[in-house]
Amino acid sequence: MGARTLYDKLWDSHVVRENDDGTSLLYIDRQLIHEVTSPQAFEGLRIANRTPWNLSANLATPDHNVPTNNREQGIIDPIARLQVETLNNNCDYYHITEFKMDDIRQGIVHVISPEQGATLPGMTLVCGDSHTSTHGAFGTLAFGIGTSEVEHVLVTQCLIQKKSKNMLVQVNGQLNPGVTAKDIILAIIGEIGTAGGTGYAIEFAGDTIRSFSMEGRMTISNMAIEAGARAGMIAVDTTTIDYVKNRPYSPKAEHWEQAVEYWTGFHSDADAHFDKVISLDAKDIKPQVTWGTSPEMTMAIDEVIPDPADESDPVKQAGMEAALNYMGLTAGTPINEVAVDVVFIGSCTNSRIEDMRAAADVAKGNKVAANVKQALVVPGSGLIKQQAEQEGLDKIFIDAGFEWREPGCSMCLAMNADRLEPQQRCASTSNRNFEGRQGQGGRTHLVSPEMAAAAAIKKGILSILIN
Amino acid sequence: MEKFTKITAIALPLDRANVDTDAIIPKQFLKSIKRSGFGPNLFDEWRYLDQGEPGMDNSKRPVNTDFVLNQPRYAGAEILLARDNFGCGSSREHAPWALEDFGIRVIIAPGFADIFYNNCFKNGLLPIILPEETVEHLFNVVEANEGFQLTVDLEQQKIISVQSSAVDINIDFELDKFRRQCLLEGLDEIGLTLEHADEIRQYEARKKDITPWLFQD
Ligand code: SF4
């Protein structure tokens, strides 16, 4: 076999059979399940009188709809409650492991699976959620699927797939001050556009990418989907292997050596062919903030809001005008003079322990400004919450005037009570600034945890680190 | 799954790029545990002037008459004309469910987001990718000619205007063989895969030697 990319290797090792037209049956090692995209899949199973293929391949938790405060009252919204209860009932009925709302291991699917070691290198992993790309950070082929496919995987442990093309996104060089993994991925999306990765599986490489911890790498892979790529992978190295060691689902002692040897092969060969290659220099990347209603509408913190008049493509120009209109912004305004009403630190992009620490560092000894109406910190899992509390981060946030919440998706998509009011402006560490994403009429600026925390204490002004 | 062979219908032009699945069906409607009933809330935030919540009587809500879907000339449309990167964002299959429930069977665009594209086929919806200029031409023709109807024929892989139309349309489109067959015959993909259950078991048996840790518990 010739030189292969990381994606080629992951693909080849999971093909059960291939048809003449390239349509393949791909074996899926792990499926993550949450309450929003699974009820109709389980219903389909029951209607067709089918049973799950391999129960232990599945791991479930409620995250999208769960309340992030007053949990002792249960879920007040009856429709949301029914959805979570439906997940509980389905998992109980089929004997699928579920971390329920009162379990310390509960949290956002994409946070808990790596935390448990349920995400491992060399695997295929799917979930009825587009940010499944997150797990690609482990040298894993991970992608989001629809509910029909959730059912397909439950019943057959396989998916019918066609192979994507290979794209390499390289970032090399030293990070500028204040630049985080979030800024790097926003800059990449700004460069290739929200459809730039459509039809591709992306591999992120280069020494800047490799310098990040697993937390940072997950932030990057998480947003591959915002560039249109279902999967965004990073090669396995010692950072990966050190992270997965000794986690509940990781290989036990008798298999550890064999596993490490197997995983170490999951990187692209030196002369592997990529259909598209993008290279960025870290020294050109400054802290990023989005100004519009698509993640590609991103800019450096020291720039002014772009002018649609400078755009030659009429469809793009109309998109920019609609975005500025929705966001209530004027071209030419320096973005670091724009003030937000709400700050949200959380989501599967930035709710891990490092994100909590980074935000707490900025918040420490400061106060949330009086004009900032709400500043929420929502850890990604119960275990992260516990860890943060052991480190005293909760106290730092609470003393500064932030709200310290229970784990879940929260204001990332505002399915629970945490949401923006119409026209409220938010500095958010999440991944989507679409119209209405954080609440109808709400205006989202995507930023790093550092920038979100800084905005909270600097009168809401979008800016990089204080001092 | 519902079969798709051929339809003739009005096309609804939605002139926006990067329409995401949050816009197609907003999150508050995702709390439903059913597959049907999403049609009245398709494009909810653009379609109505108030804030939509599950359980509302949609027939009593104030509508945004500027939004193309509310314009009487496009009533009964079964074809949606869209711009690039349609269906980006969240993987929610509720988006094709909402489109299908509303009555849309075909979406024509220069490009689709991968997950959405895939989800369409599971629900008897046909997404067609055409070159940017061709889509632009269709937008112009549809907007200029009230009541303009198109025939989409999956068997022939053709989009054609009905006889005596003001403008003649005759476009070929590509689709991979497997997907075409599934749609034409309304095949159950899970059933198809289960026909290969033995091969899946053989694959697993091989895998148990290579990655035994994935089978420990
Ligand atoms: S945190 Fe946001 S993006 Fe992540 S899974 Fe939850 S809703 Fe989706």
Side-chain angles (χ1 to χ4, degrees), chain A residues 171-247:
Chain A
V171 189
N172 284 297
Q174 268 238 291
L175 292 174
N176 284 316
V179 173
T180 68
K182 182 65 165 286
D183 304 292
I184 297 289
I185 186 62
L186 282 172
I188 291 171
I189 297 162
E191 176 78 22
I192 64 179
T194 43
T198 304
Y200 291 93
I202 295 181
E203 178 176 350
F204 298 102
D207 55 41
T208 315
I209 303 285
R210 271 199 309 279
S211 73
F212 287 118
S213 65
M214 286 318 293
E215 280 83 354
R217 294 179 188 188
M218 283 189 259
T219 300
I220 290 175
S221 291
N222 174 270
M223 290 188 73
I225 185 66
E226 304 323 326
R230 290 175 80 176
M233 293 150 290
I234 298 173
V236 178
D237 62 9
T238 50
T239 307
T240 327
I241 291 167
D242 291 347
Y243 181 98
V244 299
K245 197 165 186 177
N246 292 329
R247 295 186 180 262

Side-chain angles (χ1 to χ4, degrees), chain A residues 104-115:
Chain A
I104 184 109
R105 298 167 296 178
Q106 177 267 336
I108 305 171
V109 271
H110 309 308
V111 174
I112 66 158
S113 178
E115 188 171 79

Side-chain angles (χ1 to χ4, degrees), chain A residues 63-64 108-110 129 131 347-348 409 412-413 431 437:
Chain A
D63 55 2
H64 285 64
I108 305 171
V109 271
H110 309 308
D129 189 280
H131 291 99
S347 90
C348 57
C409 295
C412 173
L413 96 163
N431 42 49
R437 172 77 179 181

Side-chain angles (χ1 to χ4, degrees), chain A residues 360-379:
Chain A
D361 250 8
V362 176
K364 194 168 191 169
N366 289 296
K367 289 278 178 229
V368 171
N371 60 317
V372 174
K373 294 177 191 72
Q374 187 174 35
L376 271 185
V377 187
V378 186

Side-chain angles (χ1 to χ4, degrees), chain A residues 13-17 19-21 23 25 27 29 36-37 39-40 43 50 53-54 56 65 77 79-80 82-83 86 120 123 128-130 144-149 151-152 155-158 160-162 194-195 197-200 225-226 228 230 249-252 254-255 258-259 262-263 294 296 315 322 413-415 419 422 432 434-440, chain B residues 15-18 20-23 27-36 38 44-46 48-55 61 83-85 88-94 97 111-115 118-119 122-123 132 136 176-179 182 188-194 196-201 203-204 206-217:
Chain A
S13 57
H14 288 86
V15 173
V16 173
R17 57 172 280 123
N19 292 341
D20 305 339
D21 68 346
T23 308
L25 202 57
Y27 190 82
D29 297 312
V36 178
T37 55
Q40 298 87 351
E43 187 193 23
R50 287 168 170 152
W53 182 277
N54 176 10
S56 66
N65 264 323
D77 173 357
I79 319 178
L82 176 64
Q83 199 169 51
T86 304
L120 293 170
M123 257 187 175
D129 189 280
S130 59
I145 56 177
T147 298
S148 298
E149 290 180 316
E151 184 182 343
H152 198 132
V155 179
T156 69
Q157 216 52 52
C158 288
I160 300 170
Q161 293 284 299
K162 257 198 160 164
T194 43
T198 304
Y200 291 93
I225 185 66
E226 304 323 326
R230 290 175 80 176
Y249 282 74
S250 298
K252 301 289 174 294
E254 67 270 26
H255 293 135
Q258 187 187 356
Y262 178 75
W263 294 338
S294 159
E296 71 183 13
V315 175
L413 96 163
M415 269 186 90
R419 65 181 72 162
R432 285 190 177 136
F434 298 157
E435 283 187 19
R437 172 77 179 181
Q438 296 192 285
Q440 190 165 5
Chain B
D15 197 0
R16 280 178 89 122
N18 299 316
D20 59 78
T21 53
D22 277 75
K27 76 286 221 102
Q28 61 270 34
F29 304 106
L30 270 51
K31 293 176 188 172
S32 165
I33 55 171
K34 300 207 172 68
R35 249 175 207 269
S36 54
F38 296 100
D44 198 272
E45 289 184 10
W46 294 337
Y48 302 99
L49 295 169
D50 62 346
Q51 188 155 345
E53 289 298 334
R61 295 173 59 196
R83 295 292 186 183
D84 199 16
N85 201 25
C88 60
S90 153
S91 63
R92 59 189 70 164
E93 198 162 317
H94 311 68
W97 294 339
F112 293 89
D114 289 338
I115 305 178
N118 216 26
N119 283 342
K122 321 285 181 201
N123 296 284
E132 192 104 46
E136 179 64 33
D176 84 45
K177 251 171 54 192
F178 178 74
R179 285 180 162 138
C182 285
D188 162 27
E189 284 193 17
I190 297 180
L192 287 180
T193 298
L194 285 174
H196 304 294
D198 286 345
E199 279 170 89
I200 303 172
R201 279 191 204 98
Y203 171 88
E204 280 181 330
R206 290 197 301 277
K207 202 175 167 83
K208 274 180 187 154
D209 291 333
I210 306 169
T211 58
W213 57 91
L214 294 180
F215 298 87
Q216 67 188 11
D217 59 4

Side-chain angles (χ1 to χ4, degrees), chain A residues 31-342:
Chain A
Q31 170 152 255
L32 307 176
I33 294 172
H34 65 84
E35 77 276 25
V36 178
T37 55
S38 67
Q40 298 87 351
F42 283 110
E43 187 193 23
L45 222 69
R46 268 191 297 273
I47 291 171
N49 203 6
R50 287 168 170 152
T51 48
W53 182 277
N54 176 10
L55 290 173
S56 66
N58 301 286
L59 178 61
T61 196
D63 55 2
H64 285 64
N65 264 323
V66 297
T68 58
N69 57 356
N70 304 326
R71 282 223 174 142
E72 63 293 343
Q73 297 173 7
I75 305 177
I76 311 267
D77 173 357
I79 319 178
R81 189 173 60 230
L82 176 64
Q83 199 169 51
V84 172
E85 282 169 359
T86 304
L87 176 70
N88 295 346
N89 293 340
N90 282 327
C91 289
D92 289 349
Y93 179 81
Y94 288 107
H95 304 288
I96 288 171
T97 306
E98 181 196 4
F99 301 156
K100 295 200 169 79
M101 207 169 86
D102 57 0
D103 190 316
I104 184 109
R105 298 167 296 178
Q106 177 267 336
I108 305 171
V109 271
H110 309 308
V111 174
I112 66 158
S113 178
E115 188 171 79
Q116 293 295 321
T119 302
L120 293 170
M123 257 187 175
T124 45
L125 181 153
V126 295
C127 174
D129 189 280
S130 59
H131 291 99
T132 308
S133 60
T134 310
H135 310 266
F138 289 83
T140 303
L141 177 55
F143 52 91
I145 56 177
T147 298
S148 298
E149 290 180 316
V150 170
E151 184 182 343
H152 198 132
V153 175
L154 270 171
V155 179
T156 69
Q157 216 52 52
C158 288
L159 278 176
I160 300 170
Q161 293 284 299
K162 257 198 160 164
K163 200 175 169 192
S164 307
K165 289 177 284 183
N166 277 290
M167 184 190 300
L168 179 67
V169 176
Q170 280 176 312
V171 189
N172 284 297
Q174 268 238 291
L175 292 174
N176 284 316
V179 173
T180 68
K182 182 65 165 286
D183 304 292
I184 297 289
I185 186 62
L186 282 172
I188 291 171
I189 297 162
E191 176 78 22
I192 64 179
T194 43
T198 304
Y200 291 93
I202 295 181
E203 178 176 350
F204 298 102
D207 55 41
T208 315
I209 303 285
R210 271 199 309 279
S211 73
F212 287 118
S213 65
M214 286 318 293
E215 280 83 354
R217 294 179 188 188
M218 283 189 259
T219 300
I220 290 175
S221 291
N222 174 270
M223 290 188 73
I225 185 66
E226 304 323 326
R230 290 175 80 176
M233 293 150 290
I234 298 173
V236 178
D237 62 9
T238 50
T239 307
T240 327
I241 291 167
D242 291 347
Y243 181 98
V244 299
K245 197 165 186 177
N246 292 329
R247 295 186 180 262
Y249 282 74
S250 298
K252 301 289 174 294
E254 67 270 26
H255 293 135
W256 181 254
E257 293 300 322
Q258 187 187 356
V260 170
E261 200 194 321
Y262 178 75
W263 294 338
T264 310
F266 285 95
H267 57 78
S268 291
D269 296 330
D271 42 359
H273 170 75
F274 286 90
D275 303 283
K276 194 165 169 182
V277 178
I278 308 277
S279 298
L280 279 84
D281 195 329
K283 77 171 182 328
D284 301 332
I285 300 174
K286 291 186 182 160
Q288 298 286 306
V289 51
T290 63
W291 57 267
T293 52
S294 159
E296 71 183 13
M297 294 171 168
T298 182
M299 63 194 286
I301 186 69
D302 57 1
E303 289 175 344
V304 300
I305 291 166
D307 192 342
D310 299 335
E311 173 60 58
S312 54
D313 176 342
V315 175
K316 273 202 178 140
Q317 191 182 55
M320 287 173 78
E321 274 161 8
L324 289 180
N325 185 29
Y326 180 86
M327 294 294 289
L329 294 171
T330 317
T333 313
I335 192 80
N336 61 14
E337 288 176 6
V338 173
V340 300
D341 310 300
V342 175

